[in-house]
Amino acid sequence: MMDHTPAEAIGRRETADAPIRPEPAAQLAATLDLGAVPAEGDPLPPGWHWMYFNPFLPRSSLGPDGHAKRGGFLPETGLPRRMWAGGRISYPGALKIGERARKESRIQNVSEKSGRAGRLCFVTVQHRISQGGVLCIEEEQDIVYREPPDPAVQPPEPAAAPDGAEWSEEIVPDPTLLFRYSALTSNGHRIHYDRTYAQQNEGYPDLVVHGPLTATLLQGLATRCRPGLRLRQFTFRGMAPLFVTRPFRIEAKRGEGPDDLSLWARGPDGELAMRAEAFF
């Protein structure tokens, strides 16, 4: 399925059915060193749905970055670098572990811009996940495609993380954490496990922590800050990359509403790596 322009992909749809198996949930709980392991019949914790509905493609179907080749469901943009920049998630219901679910996806928007780092293409994908005809998760993902890195262009200085955290936890992203999260989410992107590729092809100093992993950790912190309440909405945006073996902190403080939270990931140098809002 080839587009003459990326915008021709707008409206494209894809549907997948899969069981929400208990094994990946138990494996992620072990990966994150959680004491409680979700079992069959339990609601799937927020953000854990990213382990499901991910096709495990033949290697011949992958591009040089380890992702699926463009031109299928996602459009061919002509830009080699891909980043999941952020998203907005609503949880009208709870996905039950052990039951089948359906995911309906649609290319919602495609736009192209030119920035300091060259040409950019923004793709917004909407996902709706339901069980038994009942909508459980509605999500919009923002994916950014970029040109190869220009060694002559220095990345902008990241903003400083907010002060005033009321909750704060340290995360040490060792290589095993990155490897296991890649495996659990069927994520072949080489920036998370191939140091040579990350440095030479994409211009990073080291292996990159997955944006969805950071967003999952922030959602876990949010639920611990509001025990007994159900997370209704979560929005997040990646601001600066985090790297393997460099400890960072996930932090939160009270938001505008009585139970709302403002959250962020504080990088090892005090930089703002991700910002988020949680609504209960």
Side-chain angles (χ1 to χ4, degrees), residues 168-172 247-250:
S168 182
E169 298 177 3
E170 184 180 64
I171 305 296
V172 181
F248 64 93
R249 304 196 73 84
I250 52 174

Side-chain angles (χ1 to χ4, degrees), residues 16-17 19 68 130 155 169 209 229 232 236 242-243 249 256 268 272 278:
D17 292 276
S130 58
E169 298 177 3
V209 178
L229 299 182
R232 294 186 298 106
F236 69 99
L242 296 164
F243 299 103
R249 304 196 73 84
E256 294 184 2
L272 176 61

